[in-house]
Amino acid sequence: METDLRGLTRAEIAAALVSLGEKPGNAGAVFMAVHRRGATDLALLPNVPERVCRALGRAFSLRPLQLPERKLVAGDGTKKLLFRFSGDAPAECVVLPAKGRDTACLSSQSGCSCGCTFCATGTLGLKRSLDPAEIVAQFEACRSEAADLKSLVFMGMGEPFLNWENVKRAILILSDSRGRHFPQAKMTVSTVGVIPVIEELTGSDLRIRLAVSLVAADPELRARLAPMEKAYPLKRVLAAVREYCRARKALVMLEYILLPGVNDRPSDSALLAKLIEGIPCRLNLIPYNPPGGPGAASPRIKEFQRELLDAGVLVYLRQEKGADIAAACGQLAAGTGLK
Ligand code: SF4
């Protein structure tokens, strides 16, 4: 199958033009035609010479921008959009409204191979990684549903760093000044701790923000809840994060999902505070959302926060949205007939 031009960065389009014997200088016009002018036919790219269109048409396809199959709207205005990508690969994205400063939460994979026990996506296993055009399609759908889209998080289905090349392409496409020009500084990529990509980001030009899901401070408990701990132990993940913060003079966002009776004891908060000591971070406590819908948050959530604040940690409670349509953290793929 021919490569979809919609999934290529501007630099990749320029390289493709060179290999087709054309001038790379047309890449900007091609990129703009596809990503800003909504071109759907490679033979008719606005402001692109006919000869270049013909050359591209021999080597590439331009598939239509995919649209969501279904939309659910929660009582709080959160919208969940369900896509069904080719090869029966469902994926969901979410628009989180916040008084004109909406956030889109995108999926990087259909399902996930990481198997975190508290996460509905993890129970699906991995169907497949999404390509850049499929990630861009989610963005476009969220953009048209949002009042004013101001930030983007890769916290939907999948582990973005296990599909990093495609996620990186999507970031470059979405932030390109000839396309949507969405600021990289308003994009956050969340990982459960894939160290090689954290190390790559440390030395990269990308201006995106990094979020790391801690899950548990105790290694044995973490290994039970998030099997990724076996490949990338949290202590080593946090060593890579310290270096990331030092080299980039950046703050990292740390996330801790609070599982009632599992990782919310006073000993857990004490261990957690010690583990992240000295890391320039903001810690978000996330109430656990059972896969089926809204459930009881940890009764200790406020105390847990207080214990961390007393230990000098900058910690916030994440306001959960969309739990009644299974759109909150850890719920994607639950109750939607995806399996
Ligand atoms: S929490 Fe993230 S990494 Fe873990 S199974 Fe769910 S989607 Fe995958």
Side-chain angles (χ1 to χ4, degrees):
M1 195 162 52
E2 288 153 331
T3 305
D4 186 2
L5 199 69
R6 200 178 289 286
L8 263 51
T9 64
R10 178 148 53 109
E12 288 172 330
I13 293 174
L17 288 173
V18 171
S19 70
L20 292 167
E22 297 293 338
K23 293 200 179 83
N26 283 310
V30 172
F31 190 91
M32 193 179 253
V34 173
H35 292 287
R36 208 187 283 174
R37 302 235 162 98
T40 53
D41 185 349
L42 268 183
L44 297 168
L45 297 177
N47 294 336
V48 178
E50 257 182 66
R51 192 193 63 253
V52 175
C53 289
R54 277 199 303 276
L56 286 169
R58 284 195 292 276
F60 294 96
S61 63
L62 182 60
R63 292 199 275 281
L65 188 71
Q66 295 192 65
L67 300 172
E69 186 182 272
R70 192 144 61 101
K71 174 171 97 174
L72 295 174
V73 183
D76 61 12
T78 299
K79 295 173 184 169
K80 180 165 80 167
L81 308 172
L82 168 65
F83 283 83
R84 194 165 293 278
F85 294 117
S86 64
D88 195 22
E92 295 173 336
C93 54
V94 180
V95 181
L96 301 145
K99 292 196 189 106
R101 302 191 62 78
D102 298 356
T103 297
C105 176
L106 307 186
S107 292
S108 55
Q109 298 180 304
S110 173
C112 184
S113 60
C114 293
C116 302
T117 54
F118 51 85
C119 170
T121 309
T123 64
L124 291 176
L126 178 66
K127 303 242 177 199
R128 71 169 169 83
S129 285
L130 301 181
D131 67 31
E134 291 165 339
I135 296 170
V136 169
Q138 293 175 64
F139 172 87
E140 292 293 345
C142 287
R143 188 174 166 270
S144 54
E145 288 291 342
D148 192 5
L149 194 56
K150 288 288 191 220
S151 54
L152 189 58
V153 295
F154 285 88
M155 296 185 185
M157 296 168 76
E159 163 54 64
F161 284 179
L162 292 182
N163 184 24
W164 178 232
E165 289 309 312
N166 284 343
V167 170
K168 190 163 49 178
R169 275 197 186 93
I171 288 168
L172 292 171
I173 291 169
L174 295 175
S175 59
D176 195 305
S177 59
R178 303 289 180 97
R180 292 297 178 204
H181 205 185
F182 199 88
Q184 287 185 8
K186 297 287 180 190
M187 301 183 189
T188 302
V189 184
S190 175
T191 179
V192 77
V194 181
I195 295 173
V197 183
I198 297 174
E199 289 172 343
E200 181 193 320
L201 265 185
T202 299
S204 100
D205 293 337
L206 291 178
R207 303 321 312 160
I208 57 170
R209 298 195 292 184
L210 174 67
V212 176
S213 178
L214 301 173
V215 184
D218 172 65
E220 276 178 29
L221 176 59
R222 190 172 195 265
R224 284 207 301 277
L225 298 170
M228 182 77 90
E229 170 71 15
K230 291 169 202 145
Y232 299 118
L234 187 57
K235 265 211 164 131
R236 281 181 42 217
V237 173
L238 292 179
V241 166
R242 281 177 204 275
E243 178 53 20
Y244 166 93
C245 293
R246 190 201 62 75
R248 298 179 65 115
K249 297 184 179 45
L251 200 87
V252 67
M253 190 192 293
L254 300 177
E255 297 159 320
Y256 190 92
I257 184 161
L258 214 59
L259 305 165
V262 179
N263 66 353
D264 64 348
R265 300 159 297 181
S267 58
D268 293 307
S269 62
L271 204 57
L272 177 59
K274 201 154 172 278
L275 193 69
I276 63 175
E277 199 178 357
I279 297 179
C281 67
R282 170 196 163 122
L283 176 68
N284 284 332
L285 287 182
I286 304 172
Y288 172 59
N289 297 293
S298 164
R300 279 216 352 104
I301 195 158
K302 287 260 163 63
E303 281 165 74
F304 200 88
Q305 182 188 27
R306 172 49 51 202
E307 288 155 9
L308 288 167
L309 283 169
D310 288 348
V313 180
L314 182 65
V315 54
Y316 296 87
L317 293 185
R318 164 97 54 89
Q319 188 83 40
E320 281 304 281
K321 292 185 172 164
D324 53 332
I325 55 164
C329 270
Q331 290 184 315
L332 294 189
T336 57
L338 284 184
K339 282 191 228 179

